[in-house]
Amino acid sequence: GAVVSQHPSWVICKSGTSVKIECRSLDFQATTMFWYRQFPKQSLMLMATSNEGSKATYEQGVEKDKFLINHASLTLSTLTVTSAHPEDSSFYICSAREYGTYGYTFGSGTRLTVV
Amino acid sequence: GIQVEQSPPDLILQEGANSTLRCNFSDSVNNLQWFHQNPWGQLINLFYIPSGTKQNGRLSATTVATERYSLLYISSSQTTDSGVYFCAVIYNQGGKLIFGQGTELSVKP
C-alpha cells in the first residue's frame, strides 16, 4: 500500500532557530500534499495545501512567511518552521494524495518542541 | 465553512463491548473517511465511505449522505482499539480533508 515517510519524528530546537520537516511519498506520486498541526487533545488543523511545482495555499490565520512549504517534486514536500518560538511546539503531520484518487496517506508525524 | 461534529467526545469501554461513534456534517460533501489515530500519533485510514455501508472485520461504517451523518461501529472491542477516531470530509475545492474533533476511545481489559 501507499506509504508516506515523514522525518524527523521528533525534534527539539532553541527559540529563534529554524526547523525543516520532510514528507516523502515512497511508492506513488503525490501531486498534492497537505500539512496539518495538532495540539494535545485536539483535532488536526489544516495549515496548507501544496501542489507540485506551485506555491502552497495557506489556510486563514497561518503565516506563510513563518511556515515555508516547498513541494519541489512529485514525491517530496518540506515544511520549514522559521524563527521558531515555544508556541510553535506542536505535532505536525503531512498527508499525500495520489493523483486521481481520494486516498489520503498520512506520515507518522513530527513532534516539535521549541525551548 | 463546513462543520464536522463527532460524538461522543470520550468513550470508555470494557473489553468485548460494542460501540457506535457518530459524525454529523453541515453541508453536502464529496465523501467521508474514518481514521484511527493510535497513541503514537499515526493516522490509519479505516474507511472511505461517501455513502452506504462497509465492513472490515470488527469495524463497519454507514454513511447516510442525504441526512448528513455517518456512523462507525466497533464490535467486540479490544484494548488495541484504543485511541482517537476521526471522521473527515473532503471539501470540494482542492480535495482538502476537514477533520471533526474526534472521539477518544479507551478500552479497558
Side-chain angles (χ1 to χ4, degrees):
Chain A
V3 177
V4 171
S5 175
Q6 185 173 344
H7 292 281
S9 55
W10 61 270
V11 59
I12 301 173
C13 71
K14 290 185 177 181
S15 190
T17 62
S18 296
V19 173
K20 180 184 284 188
I21 302 169
E22 289 191 353
C23 180
R24 294 181 183 270
S25 57
L26 297 186
D27 49 3
F28 66 98
Q29 293 184 334
T31 52
T32 306
M33 287 188 174
F34 304 88
W35 288 94
Y36 293 84
R37 180 167 53 182
Q38 186 180 30
F39 292 108
K41 300 291 186 180
Q42 295 189 23
S43 185
L44 283 76
M45 298 301 297
L46 181 65
M47 299 174 67
T49 302
S50 73
N51 292 294
E52 185 264 339
S54 62
K55 291 184 178 180
T57 302
Y58 291 81
E59 294 299 303
Q60 190 173 8
V62 178
E63 300 174 59
K64 61 180 180 181
D65 294 331
K66 180 169 188 60
F67 299 100
L68 301 179
I69 291 172
N70 185 287
H71 192 161
S73 77
L74 286 171
T75 59
L76 174 65
S77 177
T78 60
L79 167 67
T80 301
V81 183
T82 63
S83 188
H85 289 103
E87 57 265 31
D88 298 324
S89 298
S90 187
F91 191 57
Y92 293 87
I93 309 174
C94 70
S95 174
R97 187 179 70 170
E98 189 170 3
Y99 177 76
T101 76
Y102 279 124
Y104 292 79
T105 304
F106 285 80
S108 55
T110 297
R111 194 163 304 280
L112 170 64
T113 303
V114 184
V115 297
Chain B
I2 191 167
Q3 302 296 316
V4 183
E5 296 180 353
Q6 291 185 242
S7 60
D10 303 283
L11 186 59
I12 299 175
L13 296 176
Q14 205 65 35
E15 197 169 27
N18 303 326
S19 63
T20 301
L21 282 57
R22 187 177 180 101
C23 174
N24 293 331
F25 41 98
S26 62
D27 203 349
S28 299
V29 297
N30 283 346
N31 62 63
L32 183 142
Q33 300 190 23
W34 283 95
F35 294 89
H36 175 227
Q37 187 173 39
N38 67 23
W40 297 272
Q42 179 70 58
L43 275 160
I44 304 297
N45 188 294
L46 299 176
F47 293 102
Y48 162 74
I49 185 162
S51 63
T53 297
K54 290 186 178 179
Q55 181 156 6
N56 184 2
R58 296 181 295 103
L59 302 182
S60 64
T62 295
T63 297
V64 184
T66 53
E67 297 187 21
R68 301 178 184 172
Y69 74 89
S70 182
L71 302 174
L72 177 69
Y73 306 94
I74 304 174
S75 64
S76 303
S77 58
Q78 300 175 0
T79 56
T80 51
D81 295 332
S82 297
V84 184
Y85 290 81
F86 290 103
C87 69
V89 299
I90 294 181
Y91 226 8
N92 203 10
Q93 296 179 353
K96 296 189 291 188
L97 264 182
I98 305 300
F99 283 78
Q101 290 302 305
T103 293
E104 184 165 9
L105 174 66
S106 178
V107 181
K108 303 297 185 184

